[in-house]
Amino acid sequence: MASWELVFAIIPGIILFLYGIEQFSREVQLAAGDHLRSFIQNLTRTPVRGTIAGTLVTAVVQSSTATSVITIGLVNAGVISFASSLGIIFGANLGTTLTTQLVAFNLTAFAPLFILIGFVIGLIPGRLRIFGRPVFYFGLVFFSLSLISSVMTPYRTDPQLIALVALMDTVFLQIAFGFLITNIFQSSSVTTGLVVVMSQNGLITPEIAIPILLGANLGTPTTSLLVAAQMNTSAKRTAVAHFLFNFIGVLIFLPILPLFISLIVSLGGDAGQQVANSHLIFNLVCCVLFLILVRPFERIVRWMVPGRKDDVVFVPHHLEKT
């Protein structure tokens, strides 16, 4: 019975977290306006610059799903090419690690301060007022995680909850759990945030948490694939590249998972920091590896998604800015 009480106590916190992430992402995009599109376009001339752009945009927007959907939309509209979009997709995964690091460093303790600052900025007349809501919702995201953490604390020794967690006794079940939760809430940030908080409260160990994070990475591209289904060939290629990037990354780490977990534990820190570090190192290694092999990867995706030989990108080459 206690386990069900915990579940229903956590659900409002998750809803608040989802609302905060969605509104924060929306408000940042509104505040950025067309600057976000031009920023992405200008920083996608090489895969490395595209990766930096994807990392920065995702770190600011706090949603790799938003970044990937925006990117697919830009490819479909002919603003950037499929080849240029690859770096952004790689960087989007890396940008999501900021959330887990902030949670691991207990930014949740400062969440009420961000909410208050955002509210006050929103009341001040002038140009700064537009930044009030993003700051407010940023605080709300971490405040919701703080609520979830406070609810979980009394249950860390609950026998029913321990028995429930024990059901995930294989790596594949743990990965499937992460995949399922990410698809249910359409946000890997929910999964990663919850996993770090649960690790901090002693409800799960890093040995269980890290495979769940791999499953969350597998669940992230689902939205991209659905969005691109009715779009042009280039947009479909970007969505498939997103899926393959995450899928191959998980396949690479599966055989060495015990060694990877041992490495993470040896780096030290509490359980939450270990989980956050694993998320960062996993995405960083995948990012570097795919950047090195970006051209062969591009050719594989083009072969898997046949269509026009050349992308149609509507970018002027001979017009001056004036």
Side-chain angles (χ1 to χ4, degrees), residues 43-120:
L43 275 182
T44 52
R45 301 190 190 281
T46 67
V48 173
R49 289 173 65 181
T51 302
I52 294 169
T55 304
L56 291 175
V57 170
T58 306
V60 171
V61 176
Q62 286 288 297
S63 173
S64 61
T65 301
T67 304
S68 59
V69 168
I70 290 169
T71 303
I72 289 167
L74 293 177
V75 173
N76 187 64
V79 176
I80 59 174
S81 66
F82 158 63
S84 299
S85 72
L86 290 176
I88 305 173
I89 295 300
F90 300 162
N93 276 23
L94 195 56
T96 57
T97 61
L98 179 66
T99 304
T100 50
Q101 290 294 331
L102 292 176
V103 175
F105 282 108
N106 291 318
L107 188 72
T108 51
F110 299 97
L113 184 61
F114 282 104
I115 291 173
L116 180 61
I117 291 171
F119 178 75
V120 171

Side-chain angles (χ1 to χ4, degrees), residues 93-106 142 191-200 204-207 209-211 213 217 260 264-265 267-284:
N93 276 23
L94 195 56
T96 57
T97 61
L98 179 66
T99 304
T100 50
Q101 290 294 331
L102 292 176
V103 175
F105 282 108
N106 291 318
F142 292 96
T191 311
T192 55
L194 281 174
V195 165
V196 172
V197 168
M198 290 175 75
S199 301
Q200 287 174 330
I204 57 174
T205 62
E207 288 77 10
I210 292 172
L213 291 183
N217 265 46
F260 179 57
I264 295 300
V265 173
L267 293 176
D270 61 34
Q273 288 170 337
Q274 289 173 12
V275 173
N277 290 339
S278 72
H279 192 219
L280 173 61
I281 293 171
F282 167 74
N283 283 293
L284 184 61

Side-chain angles (χ1 to χ4, degrees), residues 147-214:
L147 288 178
I148 294 170
S149 179
S150 63
V151 168
M152 285 181 174
T153 302
Y155 289 92
R156 65 176 67 188
T157 56
D158 181 69
Q160 291 183 355
L161 186 61
I162 292 170
L164 189 65
V165 172
L167 292 175
M168 293 187 292
D169 55 353
T170 68
V171 168
F172 294 104
L173 282 175
Q174 292 153 12
I175 291 173
F177 178 75
F179 176 82
L180 187 64
I181 293 296
T182 301
N183 277 285
I184 288 172
F185 295 109
Q186 287 294 292
S187 173
S188 62
S189 296
V190 172
T191 311
T192 55
L194 281 174
V195 165
V196 172
V197 168
M198 290 175 75
S199 301
Q200 287 174 330
N201 285 277
L203 294 173
I204 57 174
T205 62
E207 288 77 10
I208 295 175
I210 292 172
I212 293 174
L213 291 183
L214 297 185

